[in-house]
Amino acid sequence: MPFHKNELCGMVYLCEGLDRLSFYSPVPLVSVQVDVKVVNFTAQVEVTQQFVNRERNPIECVYFFPVEEEAAVVDFTAELEGRKIKTQIKEKEAAREEYNQAVKNRQTAFLLEETKPDIFEIKVGHLSPGAGCKIKMTYLSELPVEEGKTKLTIPTTVAPRYIPMSDGSPEATKIASIEHDFNSPVQMAMNLEVLMQTEISSVKSPSHLLAEPTRKRFKDYFEAKVKFAGHTTNMDRDMIIYIDTEEPNQPKVVVEKNDEGSSVAMLSFVPEFKLKDHQVEAVFLVDCSGSMSGQSMKLAKEALQVFLHSLPVNSFFNIILFGSSFQSLFPQSRKYDDDSLKDAKDSSFGISANLGGTEIYQPLQHIFQKPLMAGLARQVFVLTDGQVSNSSACIELVRKNSSNNRVFTLGIGSSADRHLVKGMARAGMGTAAFTTQGEPITAKVINQLKNALQPCISDVSVKWGKTNPLEGGGEVAVEIVETKKTLFGYGKPKTKTETKFSIRSQVPSKIPAIYDGSRLIAYKLLDKTMDVNDEITVKAKTTEGDLEVSLPICKDSFIQGNCLHQLFARKMIQEVEEKHEQENVDESKKLITVLGLKYSLASKYTSFVGVDEKHRNSGTFMVTRHVKNQMPQNSGFNAIDSAPRSRGFQAQTDCSSSPTRSLQSRSRSALSPPGAMAPPGASAPTEMSKGGGFGGKTGAMAPPGAAAPTRSFGAMQESLSSFTLGAAPPQASPMSGCIIASTSSDVLRLTMCQAANGSFPAQADIANILGVQLEKVKDAGKAINSDENFSTTWMTLVVVAFLTEKCKEEKDVWELVVEKAERWLQNSGPGFNNFLLGKAKEFILQTT
């Protein structure tokens, strides 16, 4: 039967041939199955992908697939027409050569390579017509704690990345080749098995509909099994699942022994403490690039409003917007008061995603170059979807400036760049959080701010056994004694040098800054195994004295296997890449390669490869088919998104009217989405500032030695000089500045009404949120104190009583609001005492 008469089954791509004629090509990827097993705070994820060649020519399938950026990719298997193909880990160049030679010999071959720590490339070469294959990638991942729950995140799509002109790396070239489509390449199915040592209260997802879990007791574990409610789903967003157990924060020590007799110890605990807050300078760096359009921009603006209203009294702050250029709200950070708060609120309401490409390096550099304010610790809050190619350069910039700047990151959207967001927080001794549609954002923002107000606890050490020394302060300095017999220095200490980072080092070699409620995990390859009744001790030096905890080792601490060894090796590779590779490329490459080969890990220098021994006799030439990643849900690229766009975006979304039309990141193309390289000749990113508002061009900045980065849309991007603040803010009370927002959260609405000094003025807006008439509130206050100035004190007391009595479940959200209000009451005279607070609680309980 002629090919042109074949029926097209399943999803197809509209392709363009050499003669410019269009034709349909069946998508070679036909199914994706994700099987997840969570045990306590680690996850094993198996991603099984099935490919079928429904064309007449042999094909090469190329698919870029995301993973959690700290995950250890530990296995890659392949089946071809029911036969298992032997795969093995090899040095990257050797694996690539073996793959290319096999394809040249018309043998089916399989290759798994790392593009970035969170992006891997899968290739199936010379798949014969009609043939099918099944490949399985396995990775291990640590799971963080968020709001007291264990959080599992499984990325499913690679969003388009903006590529600055200064980024000429091989990784950038690979990322530019990733193709995108508005349709999912295939429907994804998922099976989740959760095993916990304590009762599992719930398994919920803000991103996907889940079926009701099936539960049972399995030996010493509680088990829950979960699937999608609809069996399959699109691959257009991160899969996010929260697992709530009775005791998610129990400290744990595990010692694993593998078949070779090697032992690795792992320490995991979630510290709980509270230190006195310190005064800060808060700089908010907000991504306003085109990819932030739609839901991501809405989330960013909501987060910024919560940050602004939750800042403590006596702090200083500034807001910087960035895209192809960057703009500062104030020339210098201003004191936090009612005037500066009003300026910030009025200016930020009109923020939109209209600043072009994601040039984040320059505004970060600009912030770090600013002189520190006397007596204030600078805290930088980055709100971004992070869709850039030069994430490693940004992480290194943050690391170099971490002694004077702490960096906290909030990844926004359904497919934020996890390597950038988590990497910058690690390098900046801060914390990272992610939010997407369906997740409450306020608690995440407040937790970030709480962490920033806490003094940095970075001097943390671990003692791996009672008789061993403390480790954790980073590389150890040693003295070299001069042995040459000379009159100049014989027998005396020479210059101090640092010991080399080695496979026997603890990882992280320098324990990261610890925060209340955030999980700390550390590994150590032991010289000899530990014994029962031994212990691991963690010691942290703080401004209020040393904090210390010792965790005993019992018989249940010991396990057999290789998983902890692989997680240890992955963590060590991450440390080498982020802290040591810049200084010593050759030694770092050697160590990463040794770790990858020894522990069977895919890395930047090691890859998995497998070749079918059979040779094919097909005389036709092989064609390459890229499996396109689906555009992230509710992103700036979504065709149905109604958010304002530049002409560059509109050109792309017009093309999306055909379901088979694809989007590809083409280098230096004016019509490319922000995953494309910027066009040459465009102006460099600039800082814009104009006192109390965004706007006004000042000058350009670029990384040293780099070509001037440019915007991604060139002439098609709207002129930044015509930037306006957009829509007017919602109606506000002229006296209080309280925003009348349509939101279901009374706590959030009250937060928006608090004055910078912590008080709540006697305004109808606030009374309406409380659900009482303003006159009734005032009359109750006059019955206690008839002084006119008492009205603000009384309203503040009433709000505090309302939050503490009626909104107990949202304490994480209002805690800073109440603390600020109580400080104002204490400083304003006899406004805060048990009698008055009791009266306010009586009023709330009687009237609401």
Side-chain angles (χ1 to χ4, degrees), residues 606-845:
T606 53
S607 305
F608 283 97
V609 65
V611 176
D612 183 22
E613 295 180 357
K614 289 188 177 181
H615 292 256
R616 309 291 171 174
N617 296 320
S618 173
T620 54
F621 62 89
M622 184 184 74
V623 293
T624 298
R625 299 290 182 230
H626 286 260
V627 177
K628 299 175 176 63
N629 275 260
Q630 186 175 9
M631 288 303 219
Q633 182 192 47
N634 295 319
S635 69
F637 310 104
N638 198 314
I640 62 173
D641 182 22
S642 60
R645 304 175 181 277
S646 69
R647 289 185 295 276
F649 273 109
Q650 193 61 52
Q652 278 296 343
T653 57
D654 288 347
C655 296
S656 67
S657 58
S658 168
T660 59
R661 193 72 182 223
S662 68
L663 300 173
Q664 181 179 3
S665 302
R666 300 179 185 275
S667 63
R668 295 173 175 83
S669 167
L671 292 176
S672 298
M677 293 184 179
S683 58
T686 58
E687 176 195 358
M688 297 182 174
S689 179
K690 195 177 181 180
F694 299 110
K697 183 173 179 179
T698 59
M701 302 183 72
T710 60
R711 44 179 102 181
S712 63
F713 298 118
M716 296 196 68
Q717 171 65 37
E718 292 178 339
S719 171
L720 290 171
S721 61
S722 62
F723 171 75
T724 61
L725 289 175
Q731 182 181 353
S733 167
M735 293 182 65
S736 69
C738 176
I739 303 305
I740 306 202
S742 57
T743 173
S744 58
S745 172
D746 289 340
V747 175
L748 182 57
R749 295 170 67 195
L750 285 171
T751 299
M752 299 302 173
C753 295
Q754 189 175 32
N757 62 9
S759 65
F760 287 88
Q763 297 290 338
D765 301 337
I766 300 175
N768 290 336
I769 298 171
L770 298 175
V772 296
Q773 294 181 351
L774 178 60
E775 290 305 316
K776 198 168 185 177
V777 178
K778 287 184 175 181
D779 290 343
K782 289 178 181 177
I784 299 171
N785 189 329
S786 58
D787 189 335
E788 290 185 3
N789 295 326
F790 185 69
S791 61
T792 298
T793 299
W794 175 245
M795 180 62 86
T796 304
L797 284 163
V798 169
V799 171
V800 170
F802 177 84
L803 292 173
T804 55
E805 294 298 314
K806 295 288 187 177
C807 307
K808 294 179 181 179
E809 293 183 355
E810 297 181 76
K811 183 179 178 181
D812 288 345
V813 177
W814 55 252
E815 191 171 11
L816 291 180
V817 174
V818 169
E819 284 182 7
K820 189 158 64 169
E822 289 176 347
R823 286 196 186 100
W824 179 81
L825 289 166
Q826 290 167 350
N827 295 331
S828 61
F832 185 68
N833 57 56
N834 290 335
F835 171 76
L836 289 177
L837 184 58
K839 286 292 184 182
K841 289 181 178 180
E842 285 180 15
F843 174 77
I844 284 296
L845 294 175

Side-chain angles (χ1 to χ4, degrees), residues 10 23 84 100 122 145 168 172 190 212 315 339 440 507 581 614 656 673 685 700 734 739 741 764 823 835:
F23 61 94
K84 289 188 177 180
N100 290 334
I122 295 171
V145 170
M190 183 272 294
E212 188 65 26
S315 57
D339 290 336
V507 283
E581 195 167 23
K614 289 188 177 181
S656 67
I739 303 305
R823 286 196 186 100
F835 171 76

Side-chain angles (χ1 to χ4, degrees), residues 237-287:
R237 60 198 181 279
D238 292 346
M239 186 195 312
I240 300 167
I241 297 175
Y242 288 96
I243 303 165
D244 192 6
T245 60
E246 287 182 349
E247 298 181 38
N249 301 341
Q250 281 186 325
K252 290 181 176 64
V253 173
V254 182
V255 180
E256 179 188 76
K257 188 174 183 179
N258 67 9
D259 294 338
E260 298 177 359
S262 170
S263 293
V264 164
M266 181 188 69
L267 161 71
S268 168
F269 80 106
V270 179
E272 295 182 8
F273 57 88
K274 181 171 177 59
L275 303 176
K276 293 179 181 178
D277 292 348
H278 62 164
Q279 290 184 305
V280 300
E281 175 199 7
V283 181
F284 302 101
L285 183 60
V286 185
D287 188 347

